[in-house]
C-alpha cells in the first residue's frame, strides 16, 4: 500500500495518492492532473476513484479533468447539490474498495454541509488513516463561515454547531493511532490558526487541538468563530466552479500560452481591459516595469494573492514573467480559477524596454534609510500593509495598518498628496500594495525593503511589545 501526500506550498494544500494492488485513488487533486496520471502509469496502477472531501473554496480542484482523462468516477459525500458533471454521491459509512484496502466515507458537516472525511482501512482490516479535508486540520478545524456564501439559509453559527457534532460524534471516537491527513496547513485561509505540520496522530490532536478539548457546544461555537475575518472574494467563485464545472486545463493552457511582441502586448492591454500582472521579484519589479502593471511575485503565495487582489476570476490577464516561467504562472493562475490569461510578453520585460517603450519605477529604501529620514524630518507616515492580526501582534509605534487583504478599504487611509513609507513582513506584499495604488494614481508611496523584519532587526525604531496573536487571518 502507498499513501503519498502531495503538498503544494503556494496553496498550503495537500492532495493524496493512495495505491493498493494495482489500483489507485486520488483525494482532492489539484487542477493540473497529469502528474497523478503519470504516477499511476509508472507504478502500473489504474486510477479507480477520485475522492473529493467537499466543494473547495480556495482552489479549483482537478476532479473533473482527472475523471475525464482516466474514466475514474468522482465521489462526494452526501449532498443534495446539483453538479455540472457526473459523480457518485456516497452515503454516510459507504465503503469503496481500492485493491486490498477500503475507503469508508464519514459524513462530517460543519465546514460545509457536504464535507466528508475518508477513513482508510488497510489490508489487515485496521483503520489506519483519516483524510479529513477541511473538517480537521493539525491544530485547528475548518472555518464554518464559507458555505453560508453559497447556501443562503445557513449561518456560521449553524455550521459551527454541525462541526461540533461531527468532531465529537464521528471523529473523536476513532482510535488514537490513526494518522490525520488534512487538506491544508499553515498559510491557508480555510482555518485561522493552522500548524506548519501537515500530518499527526489523531490521539495527539485530541490532546493539543483547541477545538477537540472538553467544552459545551455554545463554548465551541464562540471559540471557533472568534478571530474570523471575511474570506477572500474569490472563494465563492471557486466553490461554484467546483460544483458547476469548468474549462479543461488543456484549453486554459492553450489560451494563455500565447507569446506576444511588445506592440501586440500593448495593443491587447488597450483593447481588452486586461490586467497586466508582473510576476517578477519585488525588487526587480521596482527598478522598472510596464506602467500600470500590478506586481504579485511568483515566488510567494502567488495564487492566494491573485485570488485576493483580483476580484473577478473571469478577468483577462496579461503576464510579465521571467523567461521560462510562463507555463508555471498560467498553471498557478488556473489553480484558483483564473482561466483567462490571454498571453504573455515574449522575452519578458527586457523586450518591452529594448523596444523603447515607456517604463515606470518605484522607489524602494532600506530600513536604515527610513530611520535617517525620520531623524531629519521627524514624524513620517509609515503604512503597515500586513494583516490586522500581524499588526496587532507587533508594530512600529504610530504606524498605520492598511492590510493588503482589504486593499479597497485600506486605500481610503491614504492621502494622495502625502508621502507614505510602505512595509509588510518581508517586502512581498508591500510591493503588491504600492503597485496597485500606483496604477490608481497614488505616486507618493515608497517601499521599505525587507519589511518589518528588516525594521525590527535594525533596532532603529520604536516597536510595540509582542502580543501572541489569537488568529492568523
Amino acid at each position: 500500500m502507498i499513501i503519498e501526500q502531495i503538498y503544494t506550498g503556494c496553496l498550503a494544500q495537500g492532495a493524496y495518492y493512495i495505491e493498493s494492488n494495482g489500483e489507485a485513488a486520488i483525494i482532492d487533486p489539484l487542477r493540473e492532473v497529469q502528474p497523478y496520471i503519470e504516477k499511476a502509469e509508472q507504478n502500473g496502477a489504474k486510477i479507480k476513484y477520485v475522492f473529493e472531501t467537499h466543494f473547495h473554496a480556495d482552489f479549483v480542484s482537478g476532479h473533473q479533468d482527472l475523471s475525464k482523462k482516466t474514466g475514474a468516477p468522482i465521489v462526494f459525500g452526501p449532498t443534495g447539490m446539483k453538479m455540472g458533471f457526473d459523480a457518485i454521491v456516497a452515503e454516510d459509512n459507504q465503503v469503496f474498495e481500492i485493491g486490498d484496502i477500503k475507503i469508508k466515507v464519514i459524513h462530517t458537516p460543519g465546514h460545509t454541509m457536504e464535507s466528508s472525511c475518508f477513513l482508510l482501512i488497510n489490508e489487515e482490516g485496521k483503520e489506519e488513516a483519516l483524510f479529513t479535508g477541511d473538517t480537521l486540520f493539525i491544530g485547528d478545524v475548518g472555518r464554518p463561515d464559507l458555505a453560508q456564501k453559497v447556501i443562503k439559509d445557513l449561518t456560521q453559527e449553524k455550521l459551527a454547531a454541525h462541526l461540533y457534532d461531527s468532531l465529537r460524534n464521528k471523529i473523536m471516537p476513532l482510535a488514537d493511532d490513526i494518522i490525520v491527513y488534512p487538506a491544508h496547513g499553515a498559510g491557508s485561509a480555510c482555518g485561522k490558526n493552522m500548524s506548519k505540520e501537515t500530518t499527526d496522530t489523531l490521539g495527539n490532536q485530541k490532546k493539543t487541538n483547541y477545538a477537540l478539548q472538553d467544552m459545551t457546544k455554545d463554548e465551541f461555537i464562540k471559540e471557533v468563530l472568534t478571530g474570523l475575518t471575511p474570506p477572500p472574494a474569490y472563494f465563492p467563485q471557486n466553490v461554484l466552479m467546483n460544483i458547476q464545472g469548468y474549462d479543461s486545463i488543456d484549453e486554459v493552457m492553450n489560451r494563455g500560452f500565447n507569446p506576444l511582441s511588445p506592440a501586440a502586448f500593448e495593443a491587447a492591454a488597450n483593447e481588452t481591459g486586461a490586467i497586466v500582472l508582473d510576476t517578477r521579484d519585488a525588487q526587480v519589479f521596482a527598478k522598472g516595469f510596464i506602467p500600470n502593471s500590478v506586481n504579485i511575485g511568483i515566488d510567494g503565495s502567488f495564487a492566494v494573492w491573485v485570488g485576493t487582489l483580483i476580484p473577478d476570476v473571469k478577468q483577462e490577464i496579461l503576464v510579465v514573467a521571467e523567461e521560462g516561467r510562463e507555463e508555471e504562472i498560467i498553471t498557478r493562475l488556473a489553480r484558483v480559477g483564473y482561466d483567462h490569461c490571454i498571453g504573455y510578453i515574449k522575452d519578458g520585460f527586457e523586450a518591452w524596454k529594448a523596444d523603447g517603450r515607456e517604463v515606470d519605477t518605484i522607489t524602494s529604501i532600506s530600513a536604515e534609510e527610513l530611520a535617517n529620514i525620520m531623524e531629519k524630518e521627524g514624524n513620517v507616515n509609515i503604512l503597515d500593509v500586513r494583516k490586522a492580526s500581524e499588526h496587532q501582534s507587533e508594530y512600529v509605534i504610530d504606524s498605520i495598518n492598511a492590510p493588503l487583504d482589504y486593499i479597497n478599504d485600506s486605500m481610503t487611509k491614504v492621502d494622495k498628496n502625502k508621502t507614505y513609507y510602505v512595509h509588510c513582513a518581508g517586502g512581498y506584499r508591500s510591493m503588491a500594495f504600492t503597485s496597485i495604488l500606483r496604477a490608481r494614481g497614488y505616486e507618493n508611496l515608497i517601499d521599505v525593503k525587507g519589511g518589518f523584519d528588516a525594521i525590527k532587526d535594525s533596532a532603529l525604531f520604536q516597536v510595540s511589545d509582542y502580543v501572541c496573536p489569537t488568529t492568523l487571518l
Side-chain angles (χ1 to χ4, degrees):
M1 179 181 68
I2 297 171
I3 300 174
E4 183 175 345
Q5 182 184 67
I6 303 168
Y7 200 79
T8 304
C10 180
L11 292 169
Q13 191 266 347
Y16 295 92
Y17 177 90
I18 302 163
E19 183 189 315
S20 172
N21 196 16
E23 294 184 337
I26 313 296
I27 298 177
D28 294 337
L30 280 185
R31 188 81 179 273
E32 62 275 21
V33 299
Q34 196 59 34
Y36 308 117
I37 296 170
E38 291 173 359
K39 183 180 291 292
E41 288 176 349
Q42 288 167 4
N43 292 358
K46 176 179 174 58
I47 296 176
K48 187 175 183 181
Y49 293 110
V50 181
F51 290 103
E52 288 286 347
T53 55
H54 64 295
F55 299 122
H56 302 280
D58 62 309
F59 71 102
V60 177
S61 183
H63 55 295
Q64 185 175 325
D65 275 349
L66 188 55
S67 179
K68 284 180 180 178
K69 288 174 182 267
T70 64
I74 302 164
V75 181
F76 281 92
T79 179
M81 194 69 69
K82 185 177 180 181
M83 290 171 264
F85 45 84
D86 291 334
I88 296 171
V89 177
E91 296 179 0
D92 191 21
N93 296 319
Q94 186 170 341
V95 175
F96 295 83
E97 295 185 359
I98 297 103
D100 298 326
I101 66 173
K102 295 180 174 66
I103 296 285
K104 182 179 180 181
V105 178
I106 301 178
H107 188 210
T108 50
H111 174 65
T112 65
M113 287 307 295
E114 79 286 347
S115 283
S116 293
C117 299
F118 298 118
L119 180 63
L120 186 149
I121 302 166
N122 69 19
E123 298 91 338
E124 287 76 40
K126 184 180 188 306
E127 296 176 349
E128 181 171 321
L130 186 67
F131 302 90
T132 55
D134 286 18
T135 297
L136 177 64
F137 298 126
I138 307 306
D140 203 356
V141 289
R143 56 190 294 174
D145 63 329
L146 300 183
Q148 63 180 343
K149 307 289 182 182
V150 179
I151 303 173
K152 291 181 180 178
D153 63 344
L154 282 178
T155 64
Q156 59 185 15
E157 288 78 15
K158 287 180 181 178
L159 284 158
H162 283 299
L163 184 57
Y164 177 88
D165 291 335
S166 293
L167 293 168
R168 267 100 189 132
N169 300 333
K170 297 290 190 72
I171 291 180
M172 292 181 70
L174 297 173
D176 286 354
D177 62 352
I178 286 174
I179 305 298
V180 175
Y181 292 103
H184 291 292
S188 168
C190 291
K192 62 182 181 178
N193 205 10
M194 283 182 263
S195 169
K196 292 180 181 178
E197 300 299 322
T198 60
T199 65
D200 195 9
T201 63
L202 182 57
N204 194 50
Q205 284 303 293
K206 290 176 187 177
K207 293 176 185 175
T208 61
N209 191 318
Y210 77 93
L212 303 187
Q213 303 314 301
D214 186 26
M215 65 183 90
T216 67
K217 185 179 288 188
D218 286 342
E219 288 170 339
F220 175 87
I221 291 170
K222 181 179 179 181
E223 184 73 23
V224 82
L225 295 181
T226 298
L228 293 181
T229 59
Y234 79 100
F235 272 28
Q237 298 175 77
N238 275 199
V239 170
L240 291 176
M241 291 178 73
N242 282 318
I243 294 171
Q244 297 170 355
Y246 44 75
D247 290 346
S248 160
I249 188 67
D250 299 331
E251 292 177 43
V252 174
M253 297 305 295
N254 288 336
R255 182 162 55 228
F257 204 74
N258 176 30
L260 300 169
S261 68
F265 189 91
E266 184 172 27
N270 291 334
E271 291 168 10
T272 64
I275 285 177
V276 177
L277 180 61
D278 193 319
T279 62
R280 296 175 297 154
D281 175 80
Q283 289 303 313
V284 173
F285 173 85
K287 292 179 176 67
F289 56 89
I290 297 170
N292 298 321
S293 56
V294 170
N295 177 237
I296 305 176
I298 190 64
D299 293 320
S301 297
F302 172 74
V304 174
W305 283 114
V306 167
T308 301
L309 298 172
I310 302 176
D312 184 3
V313 295
K314 295 180 180 178
Q315 169 70 53
E316 290 180 313
I317 295 172
L318 287 161
V319 167
V320 180
E322 295 175 37
E323 195 171 353
R325 300 192 74 178
E326 298 87 358
E327 184 175 352
E328 175 191 359
I329 288 158
I330 298 162
T331 300
R332 288 172 69 173
L333 286 169
R335 285 177 182 168
V336 284
Y338 290 81
D339 290 358
H340 298 279
C341 175
I342 58 174
Y344 61 91
I345 187 165
K346 189 175 185 296
D347 300 323
F349 173 73
E350 293 307 316
W352 177 275
K353 188 177 177 181
D355 206 47
R357 294 175 181 273
E358 184 183 355
V359 170
D360 202 355
T361 60
I362 286 173
T363 302
S364 188
I365 65 173
S366 67
E368 290 75 15
E369 288 174 301
L370 176 57
N372 289 336
I373 291 169
M374 292 177 67
E375 187 176 350
K376 291 176 184 176
E377 299 182 9
N379 291 333
V380 298
N381 299 308
I382 297 178
L383 208 61
D384 180 347
V385 301
R386 295 176 301 161
K387 295 178 180 181
S389 60
E390 293 174 90
H391 179 81
Q392 289 160 6
S393 179
E394 197 173 19
Y395 58 90
V396 177
I397 300 299
D398 295 330
S399 60
I400 304 162
N401 186 216
L404 176 63
D405 310 52
Y406 307 107
I407 191 163
N408 290 330
D409 292 331
S410 292
M411 66 185 293
T412 63
K413 301 177 182 180
V414 180
D415 184 337
K416 278 188 178 181
N417 299 313
K418 294 180 179 179
T419 298
Y420 294 84
Y421 298 88
V422 185
H423 79 81
C424 57
Y428 180 92
R429 287 174 284 176
S430 59
M431 193 60 69
F433 185 97
T434 302
S435 68
I436 291 170
L437 264 66
R438 191 171 188 85
R440 297 178 183 181
Y442 291 73
E443 298 183 351
N444 298 317
L445 302 184
I446 296 172
D447 177 69
V448 181
K449 297 176 191 175
F452 185 76
D453 293 343
I455 287 171
K456 187 177 178 183
D457 288 345
S458 74
L460 298 172
F461 298 80
Q462 275 191 293
V463 175
S464 69
D465 292 334
Y466 177 79
V467 176
C468 185
T470 57
T471 178
L472 297 182
L473 292 176

